[in-house]
Amino acid sequence: MPVIAFVGNKGGAGKTTLAVNMGAGLARHAETAIVDADPQGSSVHWYANSDEVRVTPVFPAESELLDQIRDLKAKFAYVIADCPPSVHAPQTDAILKMADVALVPVQPSPVDLWATVHIEQAIAEAKQINPALHAVLVVNQLESRSTLSQLIREALAEIAVPVANTVVRKRAVYKASALEGRTVFDMGKRGADAAKELDQLIKEVIRP
Ligand SMILES: Nc1ncnc2c1ncn2[C@@H]1O[C@H](COP(=O)(O)OP(=O)(O)OP(=O)(O)O)[C@@H](O)[C@H]1O
Ligand SMILES: [Mg+2]
């Protein structure tokens, strides 16, 4: 079943936040597992900090990562991979060659957008082996009430990877929920707007 990789070449773009939260959103439709392919282990930490009601298990990466993902694919409807913040990492390289969807969170700042040149190359290379790979940039941490500036729109349009129409806004509840070992889907009213935008993103890029 589909493997969804959260990749990028920039630390702190939101890979783990989106992996864990979209994992919870997907788990409401079908069984979902997360593989923490980042040696930093952030998703594993989040999972260890969560309570028993959690529905999205997080597995630390095993040495035979691709075999591990193949095994999980047989058991779960969706397998999410949270990758390290480098396209040169062997984990990112391996996962891009077998993923169905690669989501690349980017912050709407010029410095972050310049860094996407490496991800463009990595995706182009992966597509030679995995032509079905569907890669999408996701604008994350857009300031709450602002819209994308013309400058950022132009910079995004130059990147050879399509951009999701749905943007993820900067919201305190993403941090607050992580601190509590939760996701925005189990934060009640406080998480409702965030859950709504992630549901919309899931519908746009994973479950049309
Ligand atoms: N939409 C958002 N709104 C508010 N805070 C966010 C949002 N997305 C991410 N963050 C915060 O930004 C920080 C970095 O996010 P995260 O750890 O998910 O990035 P990452 O790409 O996984 O980083 P790394 O490359 O180090 O693995 C975290 O403190 C997280 O809580
Ligand atoms: Mg991370």
Side-chain angles (χ1 to χ4, degrees), residues 111-186:
V111 182
D112 286 64
L113 292 174
W114 294 330
T116 57
V117 61
H118 301 283
I119 194 81
E120 281 180 85
Q121 282 165 6
I123 285 167
E125 279 168 30
K127 275 191 174 174
Q128 290 179 358
I129 289 157
N130 178 15
L133 177 67
H134 180 50
V136 185
L137 293 182
V138 177
V139 173
N140 183 32
Q141 305 197 45
L142 181 68
E143 289 297 335
S144 285
R145 269 172 284 277
S146 61
T147 52
L148 281 180
S149 71
Q150 186 59 24
L151 193 73
I152 296 294
R153 280 178 193 282
E154 283 167 13
L156 283 167
E158 277 178 24
I159 299 169
V161 180
V163 186
N165 291 322
T166 309
V167 299
V168 179
R169 293 185 178 272
K170 187 169 193 161
R171 300 180 195 274
V173 71
Y174 283 106
K175 276 197 174 98
S177 57
L179 281 172
E180 292 177 26
R182 291 168 183 265
T183 69
V184 297
F185 287 93
D186 47 20

Side-chain angles (χ1 to χ4, degrees), residues 5-138:
F6 286 82
V7 299
N9 208 41
K10 191 93 175 52
K15 294 176 291 297
T16 300
T17 301
L18 294 186
V20 161
N21 282 283
M22 288 175 78
L26 280 169
R28 300 194 317 167
H29 300 283
E31 284 217 82
T32 301
I34 298 173
V35 179
D36 192 346
D38 183 354
Q40 288 184 103
S42 311
S43 334
V44 163
H45 279 131
W46 167 82
Y47 187 58
N49 194 29
S50 70
D51 60 35
E52 299 296 306
V53 299
R54 199 67 50 239
V55 286
T56 333
V58 180
F59 298 94
E62 292 170 4
S63 54
E64 299 302 325
L65 179 60
L66 294 187
D67 288 345
Q68 181 187 13
I69 293 177
R70 276 187 209 108
D71 286 350
L72 289 171
K73 268 179 77 166
K75 296 185 196 125
F76 292 87
Y78 296 103
V79 178
I80 290 180
D82 181 12
C83 291
S86 167
V87 291
H88 307 296
Q91 297 91 336
T92 311
D93 186 58
I95 288 169
L96 279 179
K97 287 178 181 147
M98 66 143 357
D100 299 280
V101 180
L103 297 183
V104 187
V106 285
Q107 292 192 56
S109 90
V111 182
D112 286 64
L113 292 174
W114 294 330
T116 57
V117 61
H118 301 283
I119 194 81
E120 281 180 85
Q121 282 165 6
I123 285 167
E125 279 168 30
K127 275 191 174 174
Q128 290 179 358
I129 289 157
N130 178 15
L133 177 67
H134 180 50
V136 185
L137 293 182
V138 177

